[in-house]
Amino acid sequence: MSRYTPLWRWIAQNGQSPCMLTFAQIENILGFPIDHAFLTFKKELTEYGYRVVKISMKAQTVLFERLS
């Protein structure tokens, strides 16, 4: 289990597609701020049926989408 598993589970249980979360919302779900390690761990999300579509540093948001 990675430290991002709570986020992946939250996204899968939420069921929305697309799903946009702010960095602050992600921090609230995880209990810590996301960092560059997120880029490595984001591939785990496919195990939950979703993928990261876009990360906006300017808007501080992450867009997730259900896999077809």
Side-chain angles (χ1 to χ4, degrees):
M1 180 168 121
S2 82
R3 64 188 198 151
Y4 287 94
T5 299
L7 176 61
W8 309 150
R9 288 181 180 160
W10 188 94
I11 293 166
Q13 290 172 354
N14 183 36
Q16 289 183 325
S17 182
C19 174
M20 184 173 291
L21 296 174
T22 64
F23 288 5
Q25 289 171 311
I26 292 171
E27 180 178 338
N28 187 45
I29 293 166
L30 293 172
F32 62 88
I34 61 174
D35 55 20
H36 279 335
F38 181 80
L39 298 173
T40 302
F41 287 98
K42 70 180 185 175
K43 60 187 166 204
E44 298 175 343
L45 184 55
T46 59
E47 297 173 26
Y48 294 85
Y50 281 79
R51 68 183 182 113
V52 174
V53 177
K54 182 178 180 182
I55 300 171
S56 173
M57 298 303 289
K58 184 176 180 179
Q60 294 196 336
T61 59
V62 181
L63 180 63
F64 303 93
E65 179 180 79
R66 189 176 312 144
L67 296 172
S68 52

